[in-house]
Amino acid sequence: TSVDNETYGGFEESRPLIHATPPKGWMNDPNGLWYDASEELYHMYYQYSPNETYWSLPIVWGHKTSKNLTVWDDAGIAMAPTDNTTGFYSGSVVVDYNNTSGFFNSTTDPRQRAVAIFTYNTPEAEVQCVAYSLDGGYTFIQYESNPVLSNNSTQFRDPKVIWHEESQKWIMTIAKTQEYKVSIYSSSDLKDWTLESEVEKVGVLGYQYECPGLARISLPNVTLASGSSNMTVPYPSTYSNGTATPTDAWVMFISVNPGAPNGGSFVQYFIGDFNGTTFTPFTEQTQTLDDGEDYYALQTFFNSADNSTLGVAWASNWKYAQSVDTYPWKSSMSLVRKFTLDYFQANPESKILSLKSEPCVDYDVFDLNAGTLYTLNNATDDFMHAKITTNSSQGLLEFNMTWSVNASAYDNSEAADLSLYLRGNQFDDEYLWLGYIANAGAFYLDRGNTGSPFTATCPLFNTRTAVNVQPCEYVSDEITTYKVRGIVDRNIIELYFNDGAQVSTNTFFFMDGDYIETCELKVNKMGVFSIDEFSFRQLAL
Ligand code: FRU
């Protein structure tokens, strides 16, 4: 069967199952991510235009909740401005356990004392406001003396607030977007804010900085000689708090749009130290959180069940987000990811301290018996072609592949590649084509072979993208090993390389109700590649 453009609707059936989407209307940045430890419930708010499928005022805070970070329930609208020419722009939520704000009394469980700090955008200015919730995050009361922070500017937004234990203060990072600054403010009550310092013109500037954030993350448990020459990232012998063997580093996230290396929107980050006043990056190197086309406005959760650092990004790109033809809803979030720090083997000689991303997927919500585990067959020395089909796909799938490359078995004049074709169950000329090319050291994704009018006509939609993937293991001088874990959820694919050392998140648009069901693996040539592990299974909800 081949695709007939007339049947394209882009309606309900293409809605992802484990990526948060708005019930109808437009979604962008995740906001106010927090965990209610009394209800054991995660809260996610988001930039929401309920009445249009493109960004339009008024912008309100939509709301989702989840018990397992996998399936999200809709919780309506948490707060909205009264003036339709304005917007409640991006911001964050903190849990004010000790009632530093004075908004609460003993009737609110300390674990539910949610305070939102966000940007109120009007045609005249962007100012920062606070609002508090007395019902566990479902509705918010605007503080009567708002705004709490203003700067006579229309380009001053996206406050993300954390609690800094050593100084016993709230710390806000906020973007002066067109000045390429992240301003760091402190407060003891979430109302009075004092400017502490500014991080200025770091990394890719692009057109503007948006959605900054600061997170404290444990350092990997390895002993490194201070100043060791094979560390690209210098490792300070002492940190600001005077400890000789620091256990944590601080990561600053900055979203940039437009001006991403792939075009459009992306998230960069810097690893360094924060002493309660200033953030000092260890290096000027710009690090990219996700190499795909659709990962922007990352925000981390204020807290989590096990104190790990969790984050969510908007899974789209401002270049084309509003042109996508899903209806009556537009955009989704990424999966929730757990971030850890580790040393990334950038080449045989050097390691770079960088973030690892692991998807938070609760496998208990799936019927895994519907999955198919694959074992290799019909391989010859030169060529392998194998096809696996899941039974009645819902479009939610996972694959894992570990492969090795024998550099002595090819020279650069030869094509040596392995490819995966992920095909639709209704139209087999709709497919994702992805794979690895040995002499380029690159893993590519081609999302252009689909029937949606958007894919065919939007000139801003890059249909091909690639990640330079480093080996996860140097087995010998000749043999290197690589890993990929892919999660496909109807119209989004997240690729995690080498246990999350690199990630690539990309949306794609098949015809409505055409779900990926078949995986074809083609290897050319088997003398160069060995497939050490391969599985492809359905995650049936
Ligand atoms: C980022 C952004 C933020 C702003 C919000 C408005 O995508 O531009 O800077 O707060 O979207 O919806």
Side-chain angles (χ1 to χ4, degrees), residues 28-29 47 55 89-90 157-158 210-211 296 318:
N28 59 292
D29 315 357
Q47 292 287 284
W55 189 96
Y89 278 15
S90 284
R157 62 177 175 272
D158 307 340
E210 298 186 312
C211 302
Y296 192 60
W318 277 114

Side-chain angles (χ1 to χ4, degrees), residues 42-183:
Y42 285 90
H43 290 265
M44 175 200 290
Y45 307 88
Y46 61 94
Q47 292 287 284
Y48 187 29
S49 298
N51 302 321
E52 307 291 353
T53 49
Y54 48 87
W55 189 96
S56 84
L57 295 173
I59 287 280
V60 308
W61 275 32
H63 184 198
K64 299 265 166 191
T65 60
S66 178
K67 279 270 174 197
N68 47 33
L69 295 173
T70 305
V71 177
W72 291 91
D73 294 321
D74 194 68
I77 292 173
M79 56 178 190
T82 48
D83 177 340
N84 284 347
T85 68
T86 69
F88 282 174
Y89 278 15
S90 284
S92 47
V93 161
V94 299
V95 181
D96 185 13
Y97 299 98
N98 297 323
N99 194 19
T100 62
S101 61
F103 290 143
F104 304 97
N105 61 33
S106 58
T107 58
T108 308
D109 186 313
R111 297 167 294 182
Q112 292 193 315
R113 293 177 178 170
V115 179
I117 306 94
F118 60 96
T119 299
Y120 181 46
N121 177 285
T122 66
E124 294 76 42
E126 288 185 329
V127 297
Q128 317 319 315
C129 293
V130 297
Y132 55 97
S133 180
L134 301 179
D135 62 359
Y138 290 89
T139 60
F140 285 84
I141 300 164
Q142 299 294 312
Y143 173 45
E144 77 251 3
S145 304
N146 274 335
V148 294
L149 179 61
S150 47
N151 196 30
N152 256 326
S153 167
T154 55
Q155 303 297 327
F156 181 47
R157 62 177 175 272
D158 307 340
K160 165 67 177 154
V161 178
I162 59 170
W163 174 251
H164 187 250
E165 193 57 38
E166 288 84 349
S167 62
Q168 293 285 299
K169 280 196 171 142
W170 299 106
I171 296 294
M172 174 199 292
T173 44
I174 183 167
K176 289 184 178 149
T177 61
Q178 301 277 291
E179 294 172 55
Y180 311 104
K181 283 182 183 164
V182 176
S183 303

Side-chain angles (χ1 to χ4, degrees), residues 141-279:
I141 300 164
Q142 299 294 312
Y143 173 45
E144 77 251 3
S145 304
N146 274 335
V148 294
L149 179 61
S150 47
N151 196 30
N152 256 326
S153 167
T154 55
Q155 303 297 327
F156 181 47
R157 62 177 175 272
D158 307 340
K160 165 67 177 154
V161 178
I162 59 170
W163 174 251
H164 187 250
E165 193 57 38
E166 288 84 349
S167 62
Q168 293 285 299
K169 280 196 171 142
W170 299 106
I171 296 294
M172 174 199 292
T173 44
I174 183 167
K176 289 184 178 149
T177 61
Q178 301 277 291
E179 294 172 55
Y180 311 104
K181 283 182 183 164
V182 176
S183 303
I184 300 178
Y185 287 84
S186 71
S187 174
S188 54
D189 61 3
L190 297 166
K191 296 169 180 164
D192 270 345
W193 292 94
T194 307
L195 181 65
E196 296 286 349
S197 68
E198 292 185 311
V199 172
E200 199 174 337
K201 299 195 177 86
V202 290
V204 174
L205 307 185
Y207 173 74
Q208 59 187 345
Y209 278 1
E210 298 186 312
C211 302
L214 197 55
R216 174 185 217 138
I217 304 186
S218 307
L219 282 162
N221 195 9
V222 289
T223 315
L224 295 168
S226 150
S228 157
S229 62
N230 69 354
M231 293 299 148
T232 306
V233 170
Y235 190 81
S237 53
T238 55
Y239 267 42
S240 52
N241 64 4
T243 49
T245 39
T247 52
D248 301 325
W250 289 83
V251 180
M252 179 168 280
F253 300 95
I254 304 176
S255 286
V256 169
N257 176 67
N262 294 347
S265 329
F266 91 123
V267 182
Q268 58 184 339
Y269 68 91
F270 304 88
I271 304 169
D273 186 25
F274 177 64
N275 62 7
T277 304
T278 49
F279 173 76

Side-chain angles (χ1 to χ4, degrees), residues 445-501:
L445 170 71
D446 180 349
R447 55 179 177 169
N449 306 294
T450 73
S452 83
F454 163 74
T455 308
T457 58
C458 181
L460 300 172
F461 186 65
N462 291 359
T463 54
R464 292 177 176 170
T465 183
V467 184
N468 184 272
V469 177
Q470 299 304 316
C472 59
E473 200 188 335
Y474 290 82
V475 180
S476 67
D477 282 352
E478 302 294 351
I479 298 178
T480 47
T481 301
Y482 309 78
K483 276 192 215 175
V484 63
R485 171 181 182 188
I487 297 175
V488 179
D489 184 10
R490 294 201 166 171
N491 69 16
I492 178 166
I493 179 165
E494 301 197 4
L495 297 167
Y496 295 82
F497 300 101
N498 300 335
D499 303 312

